[in-house]
Amino acid sequence: MRFGAPADSVELQRMTWPEPAPGQVLIRVHAAGAGYPDAMMAAGHFPLMGDPPFGLGEEAAGEVVAVPSGSRFSVGDQVTGITGFLDGWGGYAEYTYLREESTIRIPAGMTTEQAGGFPIAFRTAYAGLVDRAPIEAGEVLLVLGAAGSSGGAALQLGKALGATVIAVAGSQEKLDFCKRHGADHVLNHRSGDLPARVADITGGRGADVVFDPVGGETAAAALAAIARNGRVVLIGVASGKPVPLDSMDMLLRNYSAVGVLATPGSPAAEAVVWQRLADLADRGALSTPVGRVYDFREVPEMISRQTAPAPGKTVVRITSE
Ligand SMILES: NC(=O)c1ccc[n+]([C@@H]2O[C@H](COP(=O)([O-])OP(=O)(O)OC[C@H]3O[C@@H](n4cnc5c(N)ncnc54)[C@H](OP(=O)(O)O)[C@@H]3O)[C@@H](O)[C@H]2O)c1
């Protein structure tokens, strides 16, 4: 892998995978979740990545094939988790390493594709809505990019936490998708009247929390719709531009901005987070909204489509069980 257009820069390589070190779990990959970060990484715009070559794919589900001594997992376990992509080990591969602290056994009833697309989006939504906002039951949550990966997860987690969710997306197909996945209200950001529509829905109060993986003009319109004591949760820049924050506006209208990077806390704290996410999935409150499923050989095409993604979570099918 090197930086550039995915069709030219992504290539298959023969690899060997050494025995996993403490903190790693080696799996045979069945499915791997995808998203806008793949496009950023391939183009060389992802802030946390070093120089290529590296393996792409932030998350994966599959069967454990090797563990270090003392691991919580055993060979044969079916698991899903966050890959060692920051160290070059991505999920679009026959085998990969998962970070043990960010790995769970696949909850009952979750399909392989849902499992492959679960960890990043829901861990990110949790970091934003529980660790950083935090949102309270009864508050109004405005989710941007709500038919996308992290937005779709925030929509579901927001509902599970007792919020009223207003989902924002850019087409009727995506708005229908958001309704099917539990949104109380849906708004098209292309309609140009987002603040007025949010004011109508909230009786003039505005949204308590804005979950923003998009940035740019859509986020600017959402800030105009934020309530007193509101919080804008800064997740990402799928529009290519960050949200335009104005400190005087924040002061005069009494709201805050919180940055979010969904990185693990202490192993004990991380275990609590993943157990809570697994419990919510077990209860059916969280379920990866799988969108388009690609074949392993279609990874370059899949990455090139992440700048105009279809609704739902994109997943790559790697090997059959
Ligand atoms: N902070 C963290 O820890 C963390 C974790 C995961 C991801 N992220 C970041 O969050 C951002 C979104 O990632 P994601 O995986 O949720 O993305 P995604 O699934 O592709 O969703 C992004 C949404 O943004 C909207 N959008 C508006 N302009 C766009 C454009 N020019 N290109 C693509 N989408 C555009 C699209 O919705 P409409 O078509 O409805 O407008 C799309 O559904 C990225 O910047 C990523 O790096 C951050």
Side-chain angles (χ1 to χ4, degrees):
M1 153 90 226
R2 53 186 185 275
F3 294 143
D8 305 322
S9 62
V10 178
E11 57 187 36
L12 266 182
Q13 279 193 354
R14 194 167 289 281
M15 313 274 296
T16 53
W17 287 267
E19 284 297 306
Q24 293 181 323
V25 177
L26 183 62
I27 65 165
R28 180 165 187 260
V29 182
H30 295 153
Y36 189 74
D38 293 318
M40 295 174 78
M41 287 182 205
H45 298 154
F46 194 80
L48 305 176
M49 298 299 280
D51 289 330
F54 50 75
L56 287 161
E58 296 180 311
E59 56 190 337
E63 180 172 335
V64 175
V65 295
V67 290
S69 68
S71 174
R72 286 189 291 126
F73 297 98
S74 307
V75 170
D77 284 350
Q78 302 294 318
V79 297
T80 184
I82 296 180
T83 64
F85 70 98
L86 290 174
D87 300 315
W89 300 105
Y92 310 140
E94 209 175 340
Y95 296 88
T96 196
Y97 299 99
L98 301 182
R99 297 192 324 221
E100 176 169 349
E101 65 199 349
S102 309
T103 297
I104 51 170
R105 290 183 179 77
I106 296 176
M110 206 183 257
T111 67
T112 300
E113 280 87 3
Q114 286 175 325
F118 185 81
I120 286 282
F122 286 102
R123 182 66 185 88
T124 302
Y126 191 99
L129 298 182
V130 179
D131 295 335
R132 300 290 283 134
I135 195 156
E136 292 180 11
E139 288 193 313
V140 175
L141 169 65
L142 184 67
V143 179
L144 308 185
S149 172
S150 37
L155 187 173
Q156 291 188 26
L157 185 61
K159 286 301 298 172
L161 296 170
T164 297
V165 176
I166 307 174
V168 178
S171 70
Q172 191 56 49
E173 183 192 14
K174 289 186 174 183
L175 297 179
D176 292 343
F177 171 93
C178 294
K179 281 218 142 163
R180 282 201 305 282
H181 289 281
D184 298 290
H185 306 273
V186 293
L187 297 181
N188 190 330
H189 60 79
R190 297 182 206 283
S191 66
D193 59 354
L194 192 144
R197 299 282 307 282
V198 173
D200 282 349
I201 293 167
T202 60
R205 230 174 55 79
D208 299 294
V209 174
V210 174
F211 184 90
D212 176 27
V214 175
E217 286 172 18
T218 308
L223 284 189
I226 202 163
R228 186 173 171 80
N229 296 326
R231 292 83 77 201
V232 54
V233 177
L234 309 177
I235 298 290
V237 291
S239 68
K241 292 189 190 135
V243 57
L245 289 173
D246 172 346
S247 54
M248 273 315 282
D249 187 51
M250 293 168 73
L251 181 160
L252 292 171
R253 294 199 297 124
N254 224 69
Y255 66 90
S256 346
V258 288
V260 175
L261 186 61
T263 45
S266 69
E270 202 56 14
V272 170
V273 172
W274 286 98
Q275 189 55 53
R276 192 158 174 213
L277 289 173
D279 289 346
L280 286 165
D282 266 336
R283 288 193 350 232
L286 305 181
S287 158
T288 310
V290 175
R292 181 155 174 199
V293 178
Y294 288 82
D295 183 72
F296 184 34
R297 296 190 175 281
E298 297 174 308
V299 165
E301 182 200 338
M302 178 282 288
I303 295 172
S304 67
R305 287 179 184 267
Q306 294 312 305
T307 49
K313 176 74 183 181
T314 303
V315 175
V316 179
R317 186 79 202 198
I318 309 286
T319 49
S320 54
E321 284 99 299

